Amino acid sequence: MKSSNSAAPKLADLLSFAIYSTNLAFGRAYRPILEKLGLTYTQYIAVIVLWEEGAQTVSSLGEKLFLESNTLTPILKKLEALGYLTRERSTTDERQVIVSLTYAGHQLRERGLDILLIENSKLSPIESKAVQSAVVAVRNTLIGLTRAR
């Protein structure tokens, strides 16, 4: 049944759908690369944060990835089982768990997992940065709105 409101936005016109469907497309593009190592995209981005910033608490990692502890913990357990990271209780605060990459985790970078697929998107580096900045601005605004409630 067709809506009588012709002013209603179409799915293809929604920014939220464009971002959502682009996220799915990135997932599909990364899948063959990551499957070779048995990684999911979320595991991959956790490793990237650890490449960039080194050892850190689970809560710090979760904040950077926008993941709650109950979502992040199984991801970290899998990466630990694969031999890519270690989890150890902090010696100064036993409530905190410190996550760090193993030698094998660092070697993932050498095996080509720091490839950015945006290079294949046909965007110039300037266009890519502009899109990334705009999406981050939208994300940060939405986070601010939800925190204000």
Side-chain angles (χ1 to χ4, degrees):
M1 183 173 182
K2 193 169 184 173
S3 171
S4 61
N5 185 356
S6 62
K10 295 184 182 340
L11 181 64
D13 296 331
L14 296 175
L15 176 60
S16 58
F17 182 71
I19 292 171
Y20 168 77
S21 58
T22 300
N23 178 53
L24 293 175
F26 267 111
R28 277 189 232 104
Y30 272 102
R31 190 172 299 123
I33 296 167
L34 297 175
E35 279 181 346
K36 291 176 185 172
L37 296 171
L39 294 178
T40 64
Y41 183 76
T42 311
Q43 292 165 343
Y44 167 67
I45 60 175
V47 169
I48 288 176
V49 171
L50 294 168
W51 281 340
E52 291 175 353
E53 300 181 18
Q56 56 197 281
T57 64
V58 170
S59 59
S60 174
L61 185 59
E63 287 173 18
K64 292 170 184 136
L65 297 174
F66 298 93
L67 295 174
E68 298 294 325
S69 178
N70 63 342
T71 303
L72 184 56
T73 298
I75 292 164
L76 298 177
K77 282 183 178 182
K78 176 67 174 177
L79 286 169
E80 187 175 38
L82 290 169
Y84 296 139
L85 61 79
T86 60
R87 296 176 306 138
E88 298 176 354
R89 292 254 170 230
S90 169
T91 56
T92 57
D93 183 350
E94 288 190 11
R95 296 170 297 173
Q96 294 188 336
V97 174
I98 307 296
V99 181
S100 53
L101 288 176
T102 62
Y103 178 76
H106 284 287
Q107 289 302 107
L108 287 174
R109 185 171 247 178
E110 302 300 318
R111 293 171 70 181
L113 276 190
D114 59 349
I115 296 169
L116 297 176
L117 290 181
I118 198 69
E119 294 168 0
N120 295 325
S121 71
K122 304 208 182 194
L123 292 176
S124 72
I126 292 171
E127 292 168 324
S128 175
K129 184 62 181 163
V131 170
Q132 188 268 346
S133 295
V135 170
V136 166
V138 170
R139 180 197 66 207
N140 292 344
T141 299
L142 293 172
I143 288 170
L145 289 173
T146 57
R147 285 186 181 148
R149 292 182 190 166

